[in-house]
């Protein structure tokens, strides 16, 4: 499990895209699972968590198309 003391979308996206599968925790937001290089929506979603999932997955898509 990787812990992020602050939410920075670029750092989170880079980690998720690089490791493809696992769990991350962002201080103030919570824990997330990821598979195949994408964040999965939580089982009990909140608005904040869904925004993080959408933002990180969008950034991962942009990183992949730019490469």
């Amino acid at each position: 499990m990787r812990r992020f003391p602050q939410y920075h979308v670029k750092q989170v996206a880079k980690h998720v895209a690089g490791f493809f599968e696992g769990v991350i925790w962002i201080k103030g937001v919570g824990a997330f699972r990821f598979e195949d290089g994408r964040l999965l929506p939580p089982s009990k979603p909140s608005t904040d968590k869904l925004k993080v999932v959408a933002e990180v997955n969008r950034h991962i898509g942009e990183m992949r198309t730019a490469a």
Side-chain angles (χ1 to χ4, degrees):
M1 175 190 285
R2 170 80 191 263
R3 295 176 186 260
F4 292 93
Q6 294 179 337
Y7 172 61
H8 295 288
V9 67
K10 290 181 181 181
Q11 283 182 331
V12 175
K14 194 173 182 180
H15 179 80
V16 170
F19 284 96
F20 290 100
E21 192 171 312
V23 178
I24 62 169
W25 179 83
I26 302 169
K27 184 176 181 178
V29 183
F32 296 90
R33 291 195 61 226
F34 60 97
E35 290 181 6
D36 299 325
R38 309 285 285 182
L39 277 183
L40 301 174
S43 58
K44 294 183 180 179
S46 69
T47 306
D48 293 337
K49 285 188 175 189
L50 291 177
K51 285 180 182 178
V52 169
V53 169
E55 186 176 20
V56 170
N57 285 341
R58 182 173 42 252
H59 192 75
I60 290 170
E62 291 170 0
M63 286 174 28
R64 289 182 179 163
T65 58

